[in-house]
Amino acid sequence: MSATDTVRVAGNLVGGAWLPAASGRTLDVRDPADDRTLVGTVPSMDADDVARVYTAAADGARAWAAVSTVERGRMLFAAATLLRERADVIARLLTAEMGKTLAEATGEVNKAADFFEYYGGLGRAGRGELLAHERADVLSWTVHEPLGVVLAITPWNDPLLTPARKLAPALIAGNAVVLKPASAAPLVALELARCLNDAGLPPGVIDTVTGQGSDIGDALLEQPALRAVSFTGSNAVGDGLRRALAGTDVRLLAELGGKNAAIVLRDADVPAAVAAIAAAAFAQAGQRCTATSRVIVERPVYDEVVARLVDAAEALAVGPGAQVGTTMGPLVSPAQRDDVLGFVGRAVQDGARVASGGAAPNDEARRHGCYVAPTVLADVGDDMEIWSEEVFGPVVAVTLAEDTDHALALLNGSRYQRTKTVAIAS
Ligand code: NAP
């Protein structure tokens, strides 16, 4: 059966059973390649549903803490095997709900399995340390103990991989996890929970909650059993979590947005640099926190870099992720497409030049999809919004540097601390 033959009516995994919301309310999941197509529905849970999930997770945490780390590791390996066996169906579902190409989705399923194998192996590693002590007859040691119930909140751009890299370490350490996937692409996260459940995890060790984060965010945090939150997503939601959890004993790990830059100096291997930058800018239609979205180019190679970036952008085949030959899929939703086009429009108003793309394809085949043509904006100034704000789409902003010091100053002139430099040569 193909993942997209039927509309999936998914439930949430709660205490080992698949349940709807008590209210019966659901959220629609649509295909970004054609927004008229319903891929599936998931429960729209409310605060009472969330409380029930935590009751199940607290029971799961107690049971799981009593399982040896070696046995936990075996179950993570079993889950990895199930992910690989189900890779075709899961990758198709991922493409159908999120839009990335089938090749990207297949890579994501395999990487998710890698995480479970890596952390499954840690089930046989040490989980503490023997410490030196001044008395010969005294043993002194540290032991790693589970925290209890961990909440994982994940975004839609890697809707399988991000849950996987949160779940695998939390589970091998003996925690139960409540997983809240993004509403735009929750179905593959539920399939991941299914793999773990089928791999033999005791009831309650992995539980899922679907529903709009803005509606159930408070309920997710206000739970006595909650010990830690692992969040990946936007700066705005991350800041809200920091504020909400300040002064509590709940630990918070927050991975937030990015505005990564590449520098190309005059003596760079320009074709190699542009190939690396284009891949980093346009993979997954730029919807990656590690996407290269700013390019700083020294004057002697500026025109060549812009021209080659335009060629690379125009060589991409933009279409449905499941279609053979597509090299860039749609964005995740109409809202994301409109958001990205808004950034481009304001950049042009600010004085940037559209060297390529800059619009949504309007032909019949793609009119109902969430497409944005791969976009190269040249002559961008460092005072423009497009230079400083995360776009999260297939848009690369190019600016001119006079020398290396100027290039580094441009690179560091960003409020995002986490920048990545590629293709720097001198
Ligand atoms: P988002 O809007 O922050 O949503 C992320 C998750 O938070 C979703 O599950 C969302 O649920 C939930 N959420 C929303 N409001 C909430 C609230 N008040 N309380 C609790 N949870 C809430 O981010 P996104 O648009 O999905 O993802 C894009 C962002 O993620 C970008 O900024 C990107 O840079 C960042 N990201 C960072 C990394 C990294 O490793 N640093 C990796 C990938 C993505 P709903 O979907 O129901 O709203």
Side-chain angles (χ1 to χ4, degrees):
M1 187 193 84
S2 139
T4 52
D5 282 347
T6 51
V7 174
R8 288 191 170 223
V9 180
N12 271 307
L13 183 61
V14 183
W18 293 94
L19 301 180
S23 67
R25 287 177 56 220
T26 57
L27 296 177
D28 287 350
V29 182
R30 298 197 162 272
D31 182 350
D34 185 336
D35 190 52
R36 296 167 301 181
T37 305
L38 187 63
V39 178
T41 65
V42 293
S44 177
M45 291 178 109
D46 61 19
D48 290 340
D49 294 314
V50 171
R52 274 189 284 280
V53 170
Y54 274 86
T55 302
D59 289 345
R62 272 187 293 277
W64 194 229
V67 174
S68 77
T69 55
V70 173
E71 186 55 23
R72 288 181 211 147
R74 275 196 198 105
M75 291 189 211
L76 298 199
F77 273 109
T81 302
L82 290 173
L83 271 172
R84 294 195 196 283
E85 285 172 8
R86 300 173 187 178
D88 184 49
V89 171
I90 294 176
R92 285 182 185 282
L93 183 62
L94 202 167
T95 293
E97 68 173 346
M98 187 274 166
K100 66 178 67 174
T101 67
L102 211 42
E104 290 169 335
T106 303
E108 182 165 344
V109 179
N110 286 319
K111 269 199 216 168
D114 288 348
F115 273 99
F116 284 99
E117 285 160 0
Y118 176 83
Y119 284 99
L122 290 189
R124 290 183 181 273
R127 51 191 201 92
E129 230 182 322
L130 192 59
L131 304 174
H133 196 279
E134 59 191 342
R135 284 177 51 191
D137 58 345
V138 170
L139 282 179
S140 175
W141 66 88
T142 61
V143 181
H144 298 169
E145 293 179 335
L147 292 171
V149 178
V150 173
L151 168 65
I153 306 178
T154 53
W156 43 259
N157 64 324
D158 287 325
L160 182 70
L161 186 63
T162 307
R165 65 186 172 79
K166 292 185 184 304
L167 283 165
L171 290 172
I172 196 64
N175 302 290
V177 182
V178 173
L179 171 62
K180 153 67 183 99
S183 298
L187 292 168
V188 285
L190 300 181
E191 288 311 303
L192 174 59
R194 189 184 307 284
C195 289
L196 287 159
N197 192 47
D198 292 350
L201 265 69
V205 175
I206 167 71
D207 304 275
T208 62
V209 174
T210 52
Q212 287 294 343
S214 49
D215 295 341
I216 54 172
D218 291 346
L220 285 166
L221 301 184
E222 292 164 358
Q223 302 292 336
L226 180 64
R227 292 289 174 272
V229 179
S230 178
F231 170 76
T232 300
S234 63
N235 292 1
V237 175
D239 284 347
L241 293 174
R242 277 189 195 124
R243 280 194 292 273
L245 294 174
T248 73
D249 289 333
V250 177
R251 300 179 189 189
L252 172 65
L253 180 154
E255 292 182 305
L256 308 176
K259 190 73 188 171
N260 311 293
I263 295 176
V264 187
L265 296 180
R266 65 185 69 206
D267 56 353
D269 176 342
V270 173
V274 169
I277 292 165
F282 300 130
Q284 285 186 201
Q287 300 165 114
R288 300 193 305 165
C289 59
T290 50
T292 295
S293 59
R294 303 184 292 151
V295 184
I296 301 158
V297 190
E298 223 180 345
R299 188 180 290 279
V301 289
Y302 183 82
D303 290 340
E304 184 187 355
V305 167
V306 172
R308 286 184 182 274
L309 272 174
V310 168
D311 288 347
E314 291 177 359
L316 289 165
V318 180
Q323 185 173 292
V324 174
T326 294
T327 50
M328 194 183 98
L331 275 67
V332 71
S333 64
Q336 186 68 12
R337 174 196 59 204
D338 296 346
D339 207 35
V340 169
L341 291 173
F343 272 106
V344 173
R346 291 190 296 279
V348 171
Q349 277 168 15
D350 288 347
R353 171 168 64 87
V354 178
S356 185
N362 200 26
D363 49 276
E364 184 50 33
R366 293 178 292 181
R367 205 157 56 82
H368 298 288
C370 309
Y371 296 99
V372 172
T375 298
V376 180
L377 294 174
D379 308 343
V380 168
D382 65 350
D383 56 345
M384 295 181 191
E385 176 200 51
I386 197 78
W387 191 251
S388 55
E389 292 301 321
E390 183 182 43
V391 177
F392 224 59
V395 178
V396 67
V398 190
T399 199
L400 186 70
E402 295 303 340
D403 54 30
T404 309
D405 287 346
H406 185 206
L408 289 172
L410 286 165
L411 178 117
N412 290 323
S414 160
R415 71 191 171 89
Y416 287 91
Q417 297 300 305
R418 187 166 149 264
T419 54
K420 177 184 66 159
T421 306
V422 296
I424 183 164
S426 61

